[in-house]
Amino acid sequence: MAIITPYDNKIGIWHHQGQRVAARTIDEFAQALRRLAPAVTQVFVKTSDGSDWMSRYDNKAALHISGPDAIRRWVVTLQKYGLEFHAWCVPRGLDIEGEARVITQACSVPGVRSMVLDVEPYQGFYAGPRESVRPLMMRIHSALPGAYHIGMTVDPRSNHYAQIWPDEWFPFVNSVHLQLYWGTFGVSPETVLANGYRTWGGFGRPLFPLFGAHGVPAAEVERARQTAVSVHRVAGMSWWVLGQITTQEFEPINRHLDGAPGQQPPDMVGNAVTYGASRVVQPGDPGYVSGVFAGAEPNTGRFGAYPGYMGRPGNYHATNDHVANVWARWDPQIRQSGWYRIEAFVPNLHATAGRARYKLHGVGNIPGEIIISVPQAHYNNEWATLGTFYINAAAQQPGVVYLNDWTFEPGLELAFDALRWRPVVQPGALQVMSDVSGTAREIFQRGKALGNRANVFSRVGDSITASPYFLTPIGQAQFDLGAFRIELEPVVGHYLGENARAGNSFLNPSLAAGNGWGADRPLQPGYAYTQICGNEAPLVCEYKRVRPAVALIMIGTNDSGGVAPEVYTANLRRIVEISIEMGVIPVLSTIPPKLTDAWNAARVTEWNNIIRSMARQFEIPLWDYWHALQTLPNQGISSDGIHPSAPPDGFTAR
């Protein structure tokens, strides 16, 4: 039976001592690694030597390992950058109790994915007699779950094989990492691989190449990777060692198993980025499905419930160390390819698992799934980063995530709560969907069948939309279209001739707009205009009374003053969804600048990125009003710093 390992389909890199790298903090360490080798997703960090924590041999306090708390800092920080923490150590066999204690303490920190023992027949490595191996390993195994992965790394040259007593280690290790340093050994990459696999091929455990990347030609690095994959069918590989590999030497090792270069996530290398409208899926949403595997163990087919994200019900289940019993699926319905930061909400209840295994689909050209390990136990009502990935909207399951109860840990609890996809907004100028998409045409045809009128539009928004300066002068025939007369006169004429409800579309006062409104107000039943709408939500009332084909939606200025981005996003999404359901094409508008202070200006930028992203997600038109104002005096804003300005004569349709 094949052994599942945490190294399958992954690229790793090894770290020895903090004093050997330039980074001053773990954040700088992770940012540099993501910038130089984004294909790498695993970091092997040395935690102990003999019975000593590595802090005894490492003088950089911000990076050294002094015990479980330091390991925990590493795990949580690397997780922010989509990197896994794997421990490695040098057992000496001289202090059985002391060495077993530090090794098991390291392995017991949630999020430590594996422990690799460096066993070599040299001074400074294992010095105990053959008879010491089993007592050491029995103590380690008795303190850890049976499914915990322990690997071993060795000098694979044939003359060293018997010197480390492989048969003594065999019952206790799950994989072997072969130190294939062809440059040091003075042979070719093909030869070092052939010799290593010939020597250890009969050991009965998965073998993984650990290559030396420093001081060897880039062409040889590529030959090593290709030979490992094509000839020896490796499931993963890693590289030795940070602090020696130069900047130029990272380029040839920045390759996935299939040879594709790793792409640099735009938000994980210290760059300032902005995010668009989040897509949140949680239990109870249409995009969330859960179930039970056929043949599940007795009494394992039920989820527990608790108050989850935003007070909505969350699910939880006991973890399992040998089989999967239940599963859940989150589908964000991604329609636009691009970079997405994916996060999982982890509650402060029922989340004690150290290795929740989220399985992501639809990443770039990668077939199948990517397994992302998250230590839920380290989070408390927080969003845990799964990573930033390029999601291919044309893939079979773009951005879809699965999770089951098989974490290789017994007796813990695993939370199944909200997942969030945050699109990374790339820098650019005007962001407008100026063409009529197939989606917009479909919405129009649906609306036509429902009785919506092609020459009527509605307005949805706040005081800016409700203002008599907004579009009203056009309805009064007080406009001057200037150089755009030929293009725009037919548009104006199209909407002037039909009565919307109380006048043509330009004049008609909207039932879905009001002073001081946030994005929640159009959705609140019985909120306003009850003499017309009764207990209907203003948005629904407007659409029922007016029967428009199009809605101009500009709302968010008031929300940006203090509402949580997730709340605004959810409300705006609901406005868009109701519009589409009722056959009305939603035309989203960015909000105008706020010239009050830096905080408000930054919030406007964040809000407009949400709006732009929402338009891309739903493939609906975007009107970049904010961009259009940038070249005007005072950016088109009045003295209050918030509302658009108007000329003294009120002639705003010039």
Side-chain angles (χ1 to χ4, degrees):
M1 183 177 69
I3 297 177
I4 299 174
T5 84
Y7 321 115
D8 296 345
N9 301 310
K10 302 288 182 72
I11 306 297
I13 202 160
W14 293 63
H15 170 61
H16 184 201
Q17 293 172 306
Q19 62 205 41
R20 296 193 179 193
V21 298
R24 295 165 297 179
T25 65
I26 305 173
D27 277 287
E28 287 186 5
F29 176 99
Q31 290 171 7
L33 183 55
R34 294 304 271 161
R35 182 175 63 255
L36 294 168
V40 170
T41 58
Q42 300 183 320
V43 184
F44 295 82
V45 179
K46 189 175 184 184
T47 55
S48 62
D49 196 297
S51 59
D52 297 316
W53 294 108
M54 273 305 292
S55 54
R56 179 173 179 179
Y57 308 99
D58 191 338
N59 60 24
K60 187 176 286 187
L63 297 182
H64 72 208
I65 301 295
S66 56
D69 286 342
I71 295 174
R72 191 172 294 110
R73 285 194 299 273
W74 269 91
V75 168
V76 173
T77 305
L78 291 183
Q79 186 72 48
K80 292 192 305 183
Y81 299 93
L83 296 167
E84 295 179 0
F85 182 101
H86 294 260
W88 70 279
C89 71
V90 173
R92 299 292 186 91
L94 301 176
D95 178 3
I96 301 300
E97 296 294 338
E99 293 178 33
R101 182 173 58 254
V102 295
I103 290 172
T104 56
Q105 285 182 356
C107 296
S108 298
V109 176
V112 176
R113 294 285 285 113
S114 70
M115 170 64 76
V116 180
L117 310 176
D118 187 355
V119 181
E120 302 180 48
Y122 308 120
Q123 184 177 358
F125 290 87
Y126 204 85
R130 173 192 288 266
E131 294 75 20
S132 66
V133 173
R134 290 181 184 251
L136 172 65
M137 297 308 297
M138 287 294 292
R139 282 168 173 78
I140 293 172
H141 261 266
S142 65
L144 297 175
Y148 193 89
H149 192 98
I150 295 180
M152 182 168 65
T153 181
V154 300
D155 181 333
R157 289 175 288 188
S158 59
N159 57 315
H160 298 307
Y161 183 79
Q163 293 177 306
I164 62 169
W165 318 301
D167 55 321
E168 298 294 326
W169 297 99
F170 175 79
F172 306 102
V173 299
N174 308 107
S175 64
V176 180
H177 299 256
L178 306 178
Q179 299 166 10
L180 302 173
Y181 308 150
W182 71 86
T184 302
F185 298 165
V187 296
S188 69
E190 294 81 3
T191 299
V192 77
L193 276 158
N195 291 343
Y197 275 79
R198 182 167 51 249
T199 301
W200 282 86
F203 186 65
R205 294 289 185 260
L207 305 180
F208 293 91
L210 165 53
F211 292 126
H214 174 59
V216 292
E220 292 185 3
V221 172
E222 177 59 16
R223 280 165 46 201
R225 185 199 63 77
Q226 288 183 0
T227 303
V229 173
S230 62
V231 176
H232 301 284
R233 307 298 180 188
V234 302
M237 65 181 64
S238 60
W239 301 89
W240 178 269
V241 59
L242 288 167
Q244 289 184 6
I245 303 172
T246 65
T247 300
Q248 295 76 19
E249 289 171 333
F250 276 101
E251 183 176 353
I253 71 174
N254 180 37
R255 294 287 187 276
H256 297 286
L257 283 182
D258 64 359
Q263 292 183 279
Q264 187 181 101
D267 64 340
M268 288 194 172
V269 291
N271 297 330
V273 300
T274 54
Y275 298 98
S278 301
R279 179 69 170 124
V280 177
V281 179
Q282 59 191 114
D285 288 342
Y288 177 87
V289 182
S290 61
V292 181
F293 286 106
E297 295 180 326
N299 303 317
T300 62
R302 294 175 62 88
F303 286 93
Y306 63 91
Y309 177 65
M310 301 292 288
R312 298 266 303 278
N315 294 332
Y316 73 93
H317 198 278
T319 60
N320 200 300
D321 63 347
H322 63 280
V323 69
N325 296 295
V326 298
W327 59 272
R329 178 180 187 265
W330 291 259
D331 185 354
Q333 294 291 312
I334 288 176
R335 302 179 181 179
Q336 182 78 27
S337 298
W339 288 98
Y340 290 80
R341 185 178 184 87
I342 305 176
E343 300 163 315
F345 184 78
V346 182
N348 62 352
L349 299 170
H350 307 295
T352 57
R355 295 190 293 278
R357 300 167 70 242
Y358 294 87
K359 301 177 180 181
L360 172 63
H361 292 250
V363 176
N365 295 319
I366 299 175
E369 61 192 19
I370 294 176
I371 299 178
I372 305 154
S373 178
V374 174
Q376 288 193 352
H378 290 316
Y379 296 89
N380 184 344
N381 286 336
E382 299 173 88
W383 290 101
T385 301
L386 274 63
T388 300
F389 304 91
Y390 189 86
I391 302 300
N392 179 6
Q396 189 172 4
Q397 299 185 82
V400 171
V401 175
Y402 290 84
L403 179 65
N404 63 51
D405 57 322
W406 189 11
T407 70
F408 300 90
E409 306 162 300
L412 301 178
E413 289 184 330
L414 184 67
F416 296 73
D417 211 306
L419 261 66
R420 179 168 71 181
W421 293 255
R422 303 172 69 193
V424 179
V425 177
Q426 301 292 345
L430 179 63
Q431 298 190 37
V432 56
M433 294 180 66
S434 58
D435 199 3
V436 178
S437 68
T439 300
R441 294 182 187 278
E442 291 174 7
I443 297 169
F444 177 80
Q445 293 298 332
R446 183 184 305 127
K448 184 177 180 181
L450 292 173
N452 291 349
R453 298 179 288 172
N455 55 349
V456 174
F457 67 81
S458 286
R459 292 177 276 177
V460 179
D462 49 33
S463 59
I464 298 173
T465 296
S467 168
Y469 294 123
F470 179 64
L471 297 181
T472 302
I474 297 178
Q476 298 167 336
Q478 297 176 347
F479 58 87
D480 179 1
L481 301 177
F484 301 97
R485 180 178 59 82
I486 294 175
E487 293 88 350
L488 295 183
E489 269 190 353
V491 179
V492 171
H494 181 73
Y495 292 106
L496 277 179
E498 182 77 9
N499 182 59
R501 182 181 59 84
N504 61 54
S505 296
F506 299 100
L507 291 175
N508 183 45
S510 176
L511 300 172
N515 294 334
W517 281 26
D520 61 326
R521 298 297 172 81
L523 302 171
Q524 293 181 8
Y527 177 72
Y529 309 106
T530 54
Q531 70 278 17
I532 301 174
C533 301
N535 199 44
E536 287 181 327
L539 182 69
V540 173
C541 179
E542 168 72 10
Y543 290 167
K544 283 185 175 180
R545 302 301 183 277
V546 175
R547 293 293 177 185
V550 175
L552 306 180
I553 303 170
M554 183 195 297
I555 196 162
T557 293
N558 295 308
D559 300 85
S560 69
V563 173
E566 292 85 359
V567 174
Y568 170 71
T569 300
N571 288 329
L572 182 62
R573 174 174 284 108
R574 191 62 192 135
I575 289 172
V576 171
E577 289 172 344
I578 290 173
S579 301
I580 293 173
E581 289 166 7
M582 298 185 70
V584 180
I585 300 171
V587 179
L588 294 184
S589 171
T590 52
I591 61 174
K594 280 187 177 180
L595 306 182
T596 53
D597 54 49
W599 184 86
N600 274 289
R603 292 278 282 191
V604 167
T605 298
E606 182 177 8
W607 253 236
N608 282 336
N609 284 331
I610 291 172
I611 294 165
R612 293 176 180 123
S613 176
M614 191 78 70
R616 287 195 296 271
Q617 286 183 20
F618 283 91
E619 297 179 351
I620 55 178
L622 174 74
W623 164 23
D624 205 335
Y625 183 53
W626 178 91
H627 184 273
L629 295 176
Q630 294 309 295
T631 59
L632 299 181
N634 206 43
Q635 297 179 54
I637 302 301
S638 64
S639 58
D640 68 3
I642 296 176
H643 292 87
S645 60
D649 61 5
F651 193 10
T652 55
R654 183 181 292 111

